[in-house]
Amino acid sequence: RLVTAQHFGNTTHAPKMSAAMASCAANARAVAVKPAIGSKRSNALRRAGSRVVTASSRRTVMTAKAEYKVAVLGAAGGIGQSLSLLLKMNPLISELALYDIANTPGVAADLSHTNTTCSVKGYAGDDELAAALKGCDLVIIPAGV
């Protein structure tokens, strides 16, 4: 515990503080304190629910039932495959459309073996591009061509 001149009624009896101790005391007062349970701030966070992303509400956000369709154009490449795997693990995505000029159905088959609720479909070639993009909420293009 830091002792400052405020703790003494008479400042002549207060111990001398070095510049480093004064700086440390100022920093200690500036640090935000976690709200106590039942305080006004914690009640406000609880009422806000999943609209506020904090460490305690992250679980609420992750259990949301969003139904997003995402298309990855260039999914057969090195970056596209890794990105597609990360997107498939996201619980907010319900459908993943993978498109590339070749080898995309194989990538989709590999990703379909992961244990998630997201469905994956692969599209290859120019004639399947429109089908891959139909109904998409988000299109990501990691293709380097």
Side-chain angles (χ1 to χ4, degrees):
R1 178 173 173 218
L2 293 174
V3 178
T4 63
Q6 294 174 353
H7 295 100
F8 296 92
N10 185 347
T11 56
T12 57
H13 294 94
K16 297 284 183 183
M17 283 199 301
S18 67
M21 286 178 65
S23 173
C24 184
N27 288 339
R29 285 189 298 271
V31 172
V33 178
K34 182 178 177 182
I37 295 175
S39 70
K40 290 180 182 180
R41 183 165 181 237
S42 70
N43 290 336
L45 287 174
R46 192 175 310 115
R47 282 192 307 273
S50 63
R51 292 174 290 169
V52 176
V53 178
T54 62
S56 62
S57 67
R58 187 170 293 143
R59 185 178 67 206
T60 304
V61 173
M62 297 305 289
T63 59
K65 298 284 184 189
E67 301 287 327
Y68 293 107
K69 180 180 179 182
V70 178
V72 179
L73 307 183
I79 295 172
Q81 287 182 26
S82 302
L83 177 65
S84 298
L85 177 62
L86 291 173
L87 289 171
K88 184 160 186 336
M89 303 302 249
N90 189 331
L92 300 176
I93 298 174
S94 62
E95 190 175 344
L96 191 59
L98 306 179
Y99 173 82
D100 211 324
I101 54 176
N103 301 327
T104 316
V107 174
D110 290 342
L111 290 180
S112 68
H113 296 297
T114 59
N115 189 18
T116 62
T117 58
C118 178
S119 65
V120 181
K121 186 166 181 191
Y123 300 91
D126 293 335
D127 54 334
E128 294 186 2
L129 179 59
L133 296 176
K134 184 176 182 181
C136 284
D137 298 302
L138 175 67
V139 178
I140 303 174
I141 308 174
V145 178

